[in-house]
Amino acid sequence: AQSVTQPDIHITVSEGASLELRCNYSYGATPYLFWYVQSPGQGLQLLLKYFSGDTLVQGIKGFEAEFKRSQSSFNLRKPSVHWSDAAEYFCAVGASYSGGGADGLTFGKGTHLIIQP
Amino acid sequence: DTAVSQTPKYLVTQMGNDKSIKCEQNLGHDTMYWYKQDSKKFLKIMFSYNNKELIINETVPNRFSPKSPDKAHLNLHINSLELGDSAVYFCASSPRPGFTYLGHGNTIYFGEGSWLTVV
């Protein structure tokens, strides 16, 4: 069965500093990988996704992620964080359910990002 | 225009009651989902419908019954609410049911969530 691990439950970063959020996945087939962000009291917003091709993926709000098959990782990065980036970040893998033909997202447990002034 | 909209956003109710959460998408998608986010913020898929047909049912108690009157709507009805049902319920939609369906991939779009508190 597929799984996603986000090793860091909380990360604190100073405003203006760089950020890297870690994500490791386990999935037997070609992974379809996603990062979502959830601001307090809000829904889930898609930051970026990887399906194939270039392993460095650009997303919204200045985020990027790099797919490394050899490490089963899909880490999220941002060169300079802003206070508005404080939120919960979820990595997810798209996987088959119900014997195939129906896919859904399997999420990691999230990383809570705190921005220090 | 909200792409995936859910109502109500907040719901507080007593144990034993029956409640429904409604979801509508105006994206023209074929597939809709319900996800549950527990108190530890863990998100897990509950159901998926494609063109009104149930295609994913992830070991959810029978008290939860999804209903899709048409492909733009997926409602979630919960009978005999329990304290453990307190969670955020997210509706979502995607163009197709499978990530492998399209060469350039499929994306799931989420609603803003419905915060259910059972007291």
Side-chain angles (χ1 to χ4, degrees):
Chain A
Q2 66 278 0
S3 66
V4 176
T5 301
Q6 292 180 247
D8 304 305
I9 298 174
H10 300 278
I11 281 191
T12 301
V13 176
S14 297
E15 190 169 13
S18 64
L19 170 71
E20 182 169 29
L21 301 182
R22 295 184 291 164
C23 172
N24 292 96
Y25 68 90
S26 172
Y27 187 55
T30 302
Y32 299 93
L33 297 161
F34 304 80
W35 276 99
Y36 284 85
V37 61
Q38 184 180 23
S39 297
Q42 300 298 312
L44 292 158
Q45 183 180 24
L46 178 68
L47 285 176
L48 46 76
K49 61 188 179 185
Y50 170 79
F51 283 84
S52 63
D54 194 347
T55 55
L56 186 63
V57 179
Q58 301 298 321
I60 63 171
K61 303 185 180 188
F63 286 92
E64 66 177 26
E66 186 170 13
F67 170 58
K68 293 186 178 180
R69 185 183 298 273
S70 61
Q71 298 177 19
S72 298
S73 69
F74 188 56
N75 294 348
L76 182 71
R77 301 194 293 246
K78 186 169 185 178
S80 175
V81 297
H82 186 262
W83 63 266
S84 60
D85 293 324
E88 196 83 21
Y89 290 80
F90 293 94
C91 181
V93 63
S96 291
Y97 287 77
S98 303
D103 292 350
L105 292 172
T106 295
F107 284 88
K109 294 193 175 181
T111 296
H112 185 63
L113 177 63
I114 300 165
I115 306 296
Q116 279 184 340
Chain B
D1 256 359
T2 303
V4 182
S5 59
Q6 306 177 220
T7 55
K9 182 158 184 176
Y10 300 101
L11 182 56
V12 181
T13 188
Q14 290 187 325
M15 281 175 55
N17 283 352
D18 302 338
K19 289 294 176 187
S20 292
I21 305 172
K22 295 186 177 181
C23 178
E24 176 182 5
Q25 55 95 2
N26 62 6
L27 297 166
H29 290 169
D30 286 348
T31 310
M32 296 186 72
Y33 310 80
W34 279 108
Y35 282 79
K36 179 181 179 179
Q37 185 176 45
D38 64 23
S39 58
K40 295 184 179 177
K41 299 211 178 232
F42 183 54
L43 279 150
K44 190 170 182 203
I45 192 168
M46 299 172 69
F47 301 104
S48 176
Y49 272 71
N50 186 57
N51 276 325
K52 305 190 295 175
E53 181 184 342
L54 180 67
I55 57 172
I56 296 175
N57 184 343
E58 280 295 291
T59 321
V60 178
N62 291 338
R63 299 182 295 103
F64 290 79
S65 52
K67 293 242 181 339
S68 182
D70 55 63
K71 73 174 191 178
H73 296 83
L74 179 61
N75 303 324
L76 183 65
H77 188 74
I78 315 171
N79 289 326
S80 304
L81 278 156
E82 300 177 357
L83 293 176
D85 298 331
S86 296
V88 185
Y89 292 87
F90 285 100
C91 179
S93 73
S94 64
R96 297 286 186 271
F99 294 106
T100 54
Y101 212 89
L102 299 171
H104 49 273
N106 198 13
T107 298
I108 295 179
Y109 297 88
F110 285 83
E112 295 202 338
S114 294
W115 272 253
L116 172 65
T117 302
V118 182
V119 297

